[in-house]
Amino acid sequence: MVDLISIATKAIFVENILLSFFLGMCSFLACSKKIETAMGLGMAVIFVLGVTTPINWLINHYLLRDGALAWLGYPNVNLSFLQFICYIATIAAMVQLVEMVMDKFAPALYQSLGIFLPLIAVNCAILGTSLFMGTKGYDFTESTVFGLSSGVGWLMAIVAMAAIRTKLQYSNIPLGLRGLGITMLITGLMALGFMSFIGINL
Amino acid sequence: MSVATAPEKTKEPLFGTKQKKTLTDPFWDNNPITLQVLGICSALAVTSQLKPTVVMCIALTVVLTGSNVAISLLRKQIPSKIRIIVMLSVVSTLVTLVDQILKAYAFDMSKQLSVFVGLIITNCIVLGRAEAFAMANKPWPSLLDGLGNGLGYSVILLLVATGRELLGSGTLFGMHVIPQALYDIGYVNVGLMVLPPGAFILLGLIIWVQKQSSKQFEV
């Protein structure tokens, strides 16, 4: 249990997927103008991460990794080169599925997230988390926790950014720095702030 | 209806002004990273040293050019409803190839780049150009567009990496370039540049210079 809490705090604060691995920057920059949209997108990302990371773990563990097909009687088969294509297919399919399920059972939520859901398929935070989970050698529960808390970290970063950008409307920024430039600088400062979490260990 | 030549009928030169513009525009005036805001993730993640940056630039340019050509060839067969997943599978096949080649011939480099080779799949430049250009153009211009955007991406990446490696560790391609004399009189490497915040701030400043020089301002 302590293990899991440690993984979670690490993924949320110390190794924030956005601020220290730069994953999911594109949608972070595009959708951080308003707090509501940032919140919606962040929630959708948490959800998709929470679903796809464990599924990809199962795929990797029982189908792709070296010797994974032993249960079928092929202990020498190594399909790990199919990792990328399988992961991205799972993600795209899951996003599609989540979209349809939501449309049927939670139309209000679907309406509010509507446009962002399909975008999530190409959010590198999702694929990145699946790939990181492999390199870090997590087991099933650990991967699930890692996926969910990566999402929480991402949500926190994007909502904080949206809040700062709302305030920013009243400041007089040099012309060339407006938009992307100032956003990058602020993200840099936020990353600097998050670096103070380095060294925290549970 | 005797309107002058329809544009499709006229035979375009293989390398005329228009083609040249497709190729060179993304270098600076319509740069994929700073102006189209595509593919920022990897621009930051791999740039703490020049060597992995160069490998990443080559890998991305190859994938981008390849995917643009492949998607442009398939553009009439791809049903628009499932185009995202078709593009993703084309791109991930190419990325798998690049990854396997790196693993075979440059294993250390592939270890150092770790997940970021795989993340070329979701690099927005690749999908963005496929969607915006390759789906609507013939293979040859698509190839030029892919090459141009790949090189435009490389320009910014190399700038960021040069800045980060030079300021952060005083080296270029791993060789010391800042003279010892400078350290003796009290010069210190800016450790911050190697860390994530340094990347954000440096890229922010490059974007500033770039927008100031090309006069493309956001309101």
Side-chain angles (χ1 to χ4, degrees):
Chain A
M1 194 60 208
V2 178
D3 255 22
L4 296 182
I5 297 174
S6 168
I7 288 176
T9 35
K10 217 171 161 195
I12 297 175
F13 297 107
V14 186
E15 291 177 351
N16 188 293
I17 191 137
L18 189 107
L19 297 169
S20 65
F21 290 112
F22 314 102
L23 297 181
M25 282 299 292
C26 303
S27 30
F28 173 77
L29 294 171
C31 300
S32 60
K33 286 194 180 113
K34 276 167 76 187
I35 297 186
E36 291 81 32
T37 43
M39 197 72 188
L41 184 64
M43 285 300 185
V45 165
I46 296 183
F47 188 74
V48 174
L49 268 175
V51 178
T52 53
T53 320
I55 292 184
N56 278 340
W57 187 88
L58 289 175
I59 289 180
N60 188 41
H61 197 77
Y62 291 108
L63 294 175
L64 298 178
R65 75 193 168 106
D66 199 2
L69 287 176
W71 58 276
L72 271 181
Y74 300 105
N76 296 321
V77 178
N78 182 0
L79 289 179
S80 57
F81 66 94
L82 288 177
Q83 207 181 36
F84 295 150
I85 207 160
C86 286
Y87 281 5
I88 199 74
T90 319
I91 292 170
M94 276 322 294
V95 169
Q96 197 78 60
L97 200 68
V98 165
E99 218 183 317
M100 291 191 301
V101 171
M102 261 191 189
D103 191 19
K104 182 97 171 91
F105 296 106
L109 189 60
Y110 177 75
Q111 283 299 322
S112 61
L113 289 179
I115 30 169
F116 298 116
L117 271 173
L119 277 179
I120 294 177
V122 287
N123 185 330
C124 40
I126 315 281
L127 182 63
T129 311
S130 286
L131 292 172
F132 269 126
M133 149 203 94
T135 56
K136 290 186 177 181
Y138 288 147
D139 67 20
F140 184 73
T141 1
E142 285 171 343
S143 307
T144 316
V145 172
F146 177 65
L148 281 172
S149 39
S150 292
V152 173
W154 199 86
L155 169 91
M156 204 167 59
I158 193 174
V159 170
M161 189 65 193
I164 297 175
R165 282 180 86 168
T166 317
K167 286 271 177 197
L168 216 58
Q169 285 169 352
Y170 304 106
S171 41
N172 186 15
I173 305 160
L175 230 86
L177 205 52
R178 275 184 201 167
L180 188 57
I182 192 72
T183 316
M184 286 319 282
L185 293 187
I186 296 171
T187 320
L189 295 177
M190 274 169 68
L192 207 58
F194 268 72
M195 277 180 60
S196 58
F197 290 112
I198 288 179
I200 292 180
N201 227 333
L202 284 179
Chain B
M1 289 284 279
S2 60
V3 190
T5 50
E8 294 87 12
K9 295 266 172 69
T10 49
K11 193 151 169 52
E12 284 184 18
L14 208 54
F15 209 79
T17 346
K18 201 177 139 214
Q19 279 76 9
K20 216 167 172 182
K21 212 165 133 49
T22 315
L23 182 65
T24 54
D25 248 14
F27 288 1
W28 194 253
D29 290 334
N30 190 18
N31 192 283
I33 295 187
T34 55
L35 293 169
Q36 303 174 36
V37 202
L38 296 172
I40 294 195
C41 325
S42 55
L44 300 164
V46 297
T47 50
S48 61
Q49 284 172 332
L50 268 170
K51 241 192 229 160
T53 311
V54 172
V55 177
M56 187 69 187
C57 290
I58 298 172
L60 184 106
T61 312
V62 169
V63 172
L64 183 54
T65 316
S67 79
N68 255 10
V69 172
I71 286 164
S72 168
L73 285 171
L74 289 171
R75 71 184 188 282
K76 296 209 175 100
Q77 271 79 46
I78 301 176
S80 73
K81 276 202 167 160
I82 54 160
R83 66 184 189 286
I84 301 280
I85 211 158
V86 174
M87 288 175 194
L88 280 175
S89 37
V90 169
V91 176
S92 44
T93 314
L94 283 163
V95 171
T96 309
L97 281 177
V98 168
D99 184 52
Q100 295 295 318
I101 291 171
L102 274 181
K103 269 191 186 137
Y105 295 104
F107 189 70
D108 291 340
M109 199 43 76
S110 125
K111 270 267 158 319
Q112 203 177 342
L113 286 171
S114 70
V115 301
F116 291 102
V117 179
L119 286 175
I120 295 179
I121 299 172
T122 48
N123 192 316
C124 343
I125 294 187
V126 182
L127 279 177
R129 292 325 292 176
E131 174 89 17
F133 199 93
M135 282 299 279
N137 284 285
K138 289 186 184 141
W140 175 244
S142 303
L143 184 141
L144 291 178
D145 180 77
L147 199 62
N149 277 289
L151 293 175
Y153 168 90
S154 312
V155 169
I156 300 293
L157 245 74
L158 291 174
L159 274 178
V160 178
T162 314
R164 284 182 78 185
E165 195 177 345
L166 188 66
L167 296 172
S169 28
T171 56
L172 285 178
F173 286 104
M175 282 181 297
H176 285 273
V177 284
I178 292 185
Q180 189 58 38
L182 213 57
Y183 286 108
D184 291 340
I185 57 170
Y187 175 81
V188 185
N189 286 331
V190 193
L192 182 68
M193 277 297 156
V194 186
L195 299 168
F200 285 118
I201 292 169
L202 203 59
L203 186 61
L205 296 177
I206 290 177
I207 290 168
W208 189 4
V209 172
Q210 156 49 270
K211 286 204 169 156
Q212 215 48 270
S213 82
S214 59
K215 299 266 180 270
Q216 299 191 25
F217 301 124
E218 285 174 54
V219 196

